Amino acid sequence: MIGFTFRQLEYFVAAAEQGSVSAAARAMHISQPSVSLAIAQLETALGEKLFHRQVSRGLELSPAGRKLLEQAREILARAAIMVGADDCQAQLRGTLSLVCFQDLGPYFAPRLLAGFRQRHPDVSITLFESDLAGVNRRLLEGQAELALTYGMGLSPNIQARVLERLMPYALLPVDHPLAAQEQVSLVDLAAECLILEDIARTREYFLSLFWACDLQPASLQLTQTFEMQRGLVAHGYGVALSCTRPQGDRSYDGQPLACRPLLEAVSPQPVVLAQSSAMRPSPVAQAFLDWATAQFTP
């Protein structure tokens, strides 16, 4: 006799993805005790602790919890397909949890998610945004099945499919002398105040371009967000490097920006869809992987 229900599995998956009982309850629009009870009943039925309760970090999956999470996602996806078996269109059903690198996500995720939902309207998507460290953590801890991120700084336990490769470029005030050039040298940029986001992997990547040429920026200004970086450049505070380039070269307050390719040959930054190698993707996650990859195939 099966000692647990689909509902209990749904609440367990929500708690695993959200990282806390209270967040899972909000996401599922139910009471917190309902989630706690479902998890306790699952643990009793399976005879295993599914979570470690961390005071500062909330819920952390145990080894048994990680194994169940993979199985639960697949069970729920297949159950959803069975429920809709009479649908002549045989629509894909289930849930997908996706984490995006906070700067890259707005550039790619909206069109991918909208396109996938149009194709599979019965799929429910949970979207997270995080810095690069958070992207790694959510994948490895099972809080997200897939990640849309840069290919740098990924754990060895994470597999990635390359979607696109972005070349770094110089971001300049429109009235800056360097903006009159078709290409901009790192030598010239090193003499300016360089504005970078204060995200460890991002900062190190752009600084490494200078270090590879035996250069060191004369001064450095760190910001917490991509748009603050663009705004400071637009108002002449300094220059910057970036890989993502939103449509419309203007800052939030409408000031124009100049974008120029680099003179030096530098390595592009791969944009990837990543997954933990420790977990087999659910049918929904596999469908998204295959569909999204196809959107970027030449």
Side-chain angles (χ1 to χ4, degrees):
M1 179 178 176
I2 298 175
F4 55 84
T5 66
F6 289 126
R7 185 72 67 194
Q8 290 167 347
L9 290 179
E10 287 178 337
Y11 292 176
F12 162 72
V13 171
E17 292 179 350
Q18 298 294 332
S20 75
V21 169
S22 58
R26 289 193 297 271
M28 300 290 290
H29 306 292
I30 57 174
S31 68
Q32 186 171 327
S34 297
V35 179
S36 297
L37 178 60
I39 293 172
Q41 290 172 334
L42 264 179
E43 290 179 329
T44 299
L46 298 174
E48 298 272 12
K49 279 290 183 184
L50 301 177
F51 293 103
H52 301 302
R53 275 72 174 178
Q54 305 288 340
V55 175
S56 60
R57 295 182 57 185
L59 297 178
E60 184 175 307
L61 285 167
S62 68
R66 291 176 187 275
K67 182 177 180 180
L68 178 62
L69 180 59
E70 177 184 333
Q71 295 170 332
R73 282 172 170 154
E74 183 158 357
I75 289 170
L76 291 172
R78 296 195 180 282
I81 293 172
M82 290 175 64
V83 169
D86 293 334
D87 186 341
C88 63
Q89 294 183 3
Q91 291 282 4
L92 182 69
R93 289 173 167 82
T95 62
L96 171 68
S97 53
L98 174 72
V99 61
C100 299
F101 173 49
Q102 59 197 27
D103 288 350
L104 189 65
Y107 194 65
F108 288 95
R111 58 191 170 101
L112 287 177
L113 294 182
F116 190 72
R117 171 166 284 181
Q118 185 175 16
R119 185 179 178 86
H120 302 292
D122 294 321
V123 170
S124 175
I125 298 172
T126 301
L127 177 64
F128 303 101
E129 296 176 78
S130 185
D131 59 17
L132 290 170
V135 167
N136 266 282
R137 184 176 65 252
R138 282 191 175 274
L139 276 184
L140 294 175
E141 293 182 0
Q143 293 179 334
E145 282 194 87
L146 300 176
L148 179 63
T149 185
Y150 284 125
M152 62 180 173
L154 294 177
S155 164
N157 296 324
I158 291 176
Q159 300 173 338
R161 292 191 188 185
V162 176
L163 301 181
E164 192 168 317
R165 300 181 188 274
L166 301 180
M167 293 298 298
Y169 65 92
L171 194 60
L172 306 161
V174 291
D175 58 354
H176 196 287
L178 294 178
Q181 301 180 11
E182 292 186 3
Q183 294 178 306
V184 178
S185 172
L186 289 168
V187 175
D188 293 328
L189 292 175
E192 305 286 333
C193 174
L194 183 67
I195 305 170
L196 294 178
E197 281 187 274
D198 195 14
I199 301 173
R201 296 287 185 180
T202 301
R203 184 179 65 246
E204 291 167 7
Y205 165 71
F206 287 119
L207 287 176
S208 73
L209 302 182
F210 292 95
W211 298 337
C213 299
D214 199 24
L215 297 169
Q216 184 70 35
S219 63
L220 194 62
Q221 173 67 58
L222 300 178
T223 72
Q224 297 301 311
T225 66
F226 180 47
E227 281 304 329
M228 178 62 78
Q229 178 193 48
R230 286 163 55 84
L232 288 173
V233 171
H235 284 273
Y237 191 87
V239 302
L241 290 173
S242 183
C243 288
T244 54
R245 183 177 176 181
Q247 291 294 322
D249 293 328
R250 290 185 177 273
S251 62
Y252 260 9
D253 60 358
Q255 296 300 307
L257 290 156
C259 302
R260 300 291 182 267
L262 296 178
L263 178 64
E264 290 81 3
V266 294
S267 299
Q269 193 58 254
V271 177
V272 304
L273 264 179
Q275 65 184 92
S276 170
S277 58
M279 290 190 176
R280 182 175 65 253
S282 68
V284 173
Q286 188 63 56
F288 186 83
L289 272 168
D290 294 340
W291 178 82
T293 302
Q295 306 312 300
F296 293 87
T297 302

